[in-house]
Amino acid sequence: MPNNIVFIGLIGLIIIIFLSIFFTMVPVGLWITAIFSGVKVKISTLVGMRLRRVVPSRIINPLIKATKAGIDIDVNTLEAHYLAGGNVNMVVDALIAAQRANIDIEFERAAAIDLAGRNVLEAVQVSVNPKVIETPLISAVAMNGIEVMVKAKVTVRANIDRLIGGAGEETIIARVGEGIVTTVGSAKSHTEVLENPDSISQTVLSKGLDSGTAFEILSIDIADVDVGRNIGAKLQTDQAEADKRIAQAKAEERRAMAVAKEQEMIAEVRSMRAKVVEAEKEVPLAIAEALKSGNLGVLDYYNLNNIKADTDMRESFSNKEKNQSKND
């Protein structure tokens, strides 16, 4: 009797394990839902998805939505897109939204857009409902040197045909900013921009800024225009300050050269005085030699000393007169 109970319990455990594995490998509930939703899918197909490590609900549920919306899609196509790393549910939602908006887009193109890293559902929504892109505050300078701060709002619509390989919103903002800077820079005065801000949007819109992008520009509206700094005056002030510093540097260079020249002249004078002193040292010796040899008499020597004393006296008087004239 105890052996029978153990045997029955063992059989029950095996049955439970078998059913658990069966319902894990075979999503019966999902298969029943698909059948009642009009989606013909085989149990073997669902089992194959399990073996290929594909979550069946992520394929069958979007397939049910597509079937209810009247879109014919093969289950293998959805599974291939899932295995490629795509978002099957988003692609199906995009196809349904495109169908409701009478936008002609096939599954292959929507899948390619999704695999390219773009939000295909958002692209379809923006294609139906245009999107407004607001640029940051753009600084531009008119020809009179006054800074003008401009903020614009760009209304764009997604271009489905250019979503693959087309530039994004950053390119639109950059091109609009470039157009605003060019337009304001060509204005003779900032007052022209303030009086007619529509000229900015008209000029920028005529440049075809949406070429090569994933969007089509519908309109460019100037949201705000402010007057900034006087850039021209600031540049002139900076230039004048730079010129003054250059002139000061050149003057300092000339002064340094003059001081160096003066020091050279002082050194030269001292050198000449040394030579004079050296020459004067030879005079007494020459006089003594002349007296000894008889070429110079005592009277002549006396007269020479008188002349020298008279010369020194005259030089002292002359120096005093010069100092007096300087003081006056």
Side-chain angles (χ1 to χ4, degrees):
M1 186 66 179
N3 293 332
N4 293 334
I5 296 174
V6 172
F7 180 72
I8 294 172
L10 184 60
I11 292 176
L13 180 62
I14 293 173
I15 293 173
I16 292 173
I17 293 174
F18 174 77
L19 292 176
S20 299
I21 295 174
F22 177 80
F23 284 108
T24 300
M25 295 298 298
V26 181
V28 178
L30 186 62
W31 176 73
I32 295 173
T33 302
I35 293 298
F36 280 97
S37 299
V39 176
K40 296 180 180 180
V41 60
K42 298 179 180 179
I43 288 289
S44 58
T45 302
L46 300 179
V47 174
M49 290 182 185
R50 290 288 192 188
L51 296 176
R52 288 186 292 270
R53 295 184 179 180
V54 176
V55 181
S57 60
R58 296 186 180 181
I59 304 297
I60 301 303
N61 290 332
L63 183 61
I64 292 173
K65 286 194 297 184
T67 303
K68 290 298 183 182
I71 300 174
D72 187 16
I73 304 177
D74 185 37
V75 64
N76 294 324
T77 303
L78 295 179
E79 186 177 355
H81 183 65
Y82 178 86
L83 291 173
N87 191 331
V88 176
N89 189 59
M90 182 181 295
V91 171
V92 171
D93 289 342
L95 291 176
I96 295 173
Q99 183 191 49
R100 296 293 186 268
N102 292 325
I103 298 176
D104 187 15
I105 180 172
E106 298 178 354
F107 176 81
E108 287 76 12
R109 188 165 191 82
I113 294 172
D114 181 53
L115 293 177
R118 294 188 180 275
N119 192 325
V120 61
L121 178 59
E122 182 182 357
V124 173
Q125 292 173 346
V126 173
S127 181
V128 177
N129 185 20
K131 180 180 180 181
V132 177
I133 302 174
E134 185 172 346
T135 65
L137 201 60
I138 299 171
S139 174
V141 181
M143 296 178 66
N144 63 346
I146 303 299
E147 181 186 27
V148 179
M149 312 293 289
V150 181
K151 181 181 290 187
K153 291 185 178 181
V154 185
T155 304
V156 297
R157 180 172 56 197
N159 192 326
I160 303 296
D161 296 331
R162 294 199 304 238
L163 275 176
I164 301 177
E169 296 181 10
E170 293 79 7
T171 302
I172 294 290
I173 294 175
R175 290 182 180 180
V176 171
E178 180 184 359
I180 291 174
V181 171
T182 303
T183 305
V184 175
S186 61
K188 294 183 179 180
S189 175
H190 68 286
T191 55
E192 296 182 3
V193 180
L194 297 177
E195 291 173 358
N196 190 16
D198 292 339
S199 61
I200 300 176
S201 58
Q202 293 173 2
T203 305
V204 174
L205 194 58
S206 64
K207 292 181 178 293
L209 303 180
D210 54 1
S211 61
T213 65
F215 300 96
E216 177 185 355
I217 297 179
L218 300 179
S219 66
I220 299 177
D221 303 311
I222 304 302
D224 188 18
V225 179
D226 295 326
V227 178
R229 300 166 295 170
N230 192 335
I231 303 296
K234 186 178 184 301
L235 292 176
Q236 292 177 358
T237 303
D238 294 342
Q239 184 63 43
E241 183 67 23
D243 293 341
K244 185 183 78 170
R245 292 180 180 177
I246 293 173
Q248 288 176 346
K250 290 182 178 180
E252 184 65 24
E253 181 182 0
R254 290 194 297 268
R255 189 190 70 82
M257 292 178 64
V259 171
K261 187 68 175 178
E262 180 184 4
Q263 296 298 323
E264 290 178 1
M265 295 303 295
I266 291 174
E268 186 69 20
V269 169
R270 290 179 179 176
S271 177
M272 296 303 295
R273 284 180 180 176
K275 291 181 180 180
V276 170
V277 171
E278 185 178 0
E280 288 178 350
K281 182 183 69 173
E282 300 294 333
V283 172
L285 297 176
I287 293 174
E289 184 65 27
L291 289 173
K292 185 184 293 185
S293 62
N295 293 328
L296 181 66
V298 176
L299 185 59
D300 294 331
Y301 178 70
Y302 178 76
N303 291 331
L304 181 62
N305 286 334
N306 287 336
I307 292 171
K308 183 176 181 300
D310 184 63
T311 301
D312 292 338
M313 181 181 64
R314 291 177 182 275
E315 286 182 355
S316 65
F317 286 158
S318 176
N319 291 333
K320 287 181 180 181
E321 290 178 356
K322 289 181 180 179
N323 293 332
Q324 184 65 31
S325 62
K326 287 181 180 180
N327 294 331
D328 294 341

